[in-house]
Amino acid sequence: MTTLKVKIETFDQSMASVLEAVKAAEAGKSKPAESILSFPSWEALHRVLAPKRLEVVQVMTGQGPLSIREIARRVGRDFKGVHSDVDMLLGSGVIDRAEGGGVVFPYDRIHLEFDIEAAA
């Protein structure tokens, strides 16, 4: 089962994770590769994975390549709105273009990992 882990973390936190992985690999203690999509804030995450876009991702999960028309049918929305959402998801790296046309979410599951703290 392949999982996309979605996190909220700063650029410095992302770089620290990368450096940690590089050091572990150099020491021969590498961990299995993970697919991670990081956002710098809740607002940025929500802008990309708004509820209707998350619904698009959900219907694509584990399905292989799908046409935008088929995605629109599955979520019960018009083609134009779904096309706009698919463009945003493609541009953000959440989904990929499939060979031979269509789009694909190449994971079986999505895991959201973040903390929400009290406002200052």
Side-chain angles (χ1 to χ4, degrees):
M1 179 175 287
T2 57
T3 301
L4 175 64
K5 186 183 288 187
V6 177
K7 300 170 96 174
I8 296 174
E9 61 184 0
T10 65
F11 178 76
D12 290 341
Q13 290 169 321
S14 295
M15 291 308 297
S17 296
V18 169
L19 289 174
E20 183 181 316
V22 168
K23 287 178 184 177
E26 288 173 345
K29 300 177 184 176
S30 61
K31 297 187 271 183
E34 289 184 304
S35 297
I36 298 174
L37 181 61
S38 296
F39 293 92
S41 66
W42 164 254
E43 291 79 14
L45 182 149
H46 193 265
R47 200 170 22 257
V48 173
L49 293 176
K52 288 186 177 186
R53 290 190 192 116
L54 199 50
E55 183 180 19
V56 166
V57 172
Q58 185 177 15
V59 302
M60 294 178 68
T61 301
Q63 299 301 302
L66 295 170
S67 70
I68 296 173
R69 191 164 309 286
E70 176 59 17
I71 295 167
R73 187 191 69 73
R74 289 183 184 198
V75 296
R77 294 177 45 213
D78 68 284
F79 177 86
K80 185 177 178 182
V82 172
H83 189 279
S84 176
D85 288 343
V86 165
D87 281 345
M88 169 64 97
L89 293 167
L90 282 166
S92 301
V94 177
I95 63 176
D96 299 319
R97 291 210 181 276
E99 288 185 27
V103 292
V104 64
F105 181 69
Y107 305 97
D108 298 314
R109 131 182 196 211
I110 188 167
H111 174 79
L112 302 169
E113 180 179 293
F114 56 89
D115 296 321
I116 298 175
E117 298 178 3

